[in-house]
Amino acid sequence: QVQLVESGGGLVQAGGSLRLSCGASGSIFNINAMGWYRQAPGKQRELVAVITSGASTNYADSVKGRFTVSRDNAKNTVSLQMNSLKPEDTAVYYCNIQGIKPLGGRYDYWGQGTQVTVSS
């Protein structure tokens, strides 16, 4: 059973920085993409940033230039460095890992979420 464990959320003032980290426990193979999503109260979950096995990245327009996603393939971890935070970045942030199972089929794992609150 694979579990994703997130850390690094918290309360920060506007303009500040936070770094989120996510690690996978259990055996995990053939990772295609690792990333972060977020969900603010009353809104749908949205993509924040994703990084593929080939290190290609994709960011939501709202975070480009402020957030940086990175991964450690050896440790199966993904991180999100968030700078110049804004109150509108306030949300629960979820780690996500997608890949291919050894015998075929896809998997899609989610973390439990970590709260990020940015005060104005």
Side-chain angles (χ1 to χ4, degrees), residues 22-33:
C22 174
S25 64
S27 298
I28 189 166
F29 304 95
N30 304 324
I31 297 175
N32 284 343

Side-chain angles (χ1 to χ4, degrees), residues 1-119:
Q1 182 77 15
V2 173
Q3 289 187 324
L4 304 187
V5 180
E6 300 141 339
S7 62
L11 173 64
V12 65
Q13 288 188 333
S17 298
L18 283 174
R19 183 177 179 86
L20 305 182
S21 295
C22 174
S25 64
S27 298
I28 189 166
F29 304 95
N30 304 324
I31 297 175
N32 284 343
M34 308 176 79
W36 294 90
Y37 292 70
R38 68 186 181 187
Q39 188 167 18
K43 294 186 177 181
Q44 290 188 334
R45 190 173 298 189
E46 62 175 0
L47 172 71
V48 177
V50 65
I51 183 167
T52 70
S53 57
S56 296
T57 57
N58 187 35
Y59 294 91
D61 288 342
S62 60
V63 307
K64 284 180 180 177
R66 300 187 297 122
F67 291 10
T68 303
V69 63
S70 59
R71 62 189 283 175
D72 184 328
N73 292 329
K75 297 181 179 179
N76 289 334
T77 59
V78 59
S79 298
L80 184 69
Q81 178 65 42
M82 305 185 292
N83 299 329
S84 302
L85 282 160
K86 304 175 181 180
E88 51 263 44
D89 294 319
T90 295
V92 177
Y93 284 69
Y94 296 91
C95 173
N96 174 258
I97 296 180
Q98 301 178 10
I100 306 297
K101 296 177 181 180
L103 297 180
R106 297 178 179 273
Y107 62 79
D108 189 7
Y109 298 129
W110 291 90
Q112 79 284 358
T114 185
Q115 177 70 46
V116 171
T117 303
V118 184
S119 63

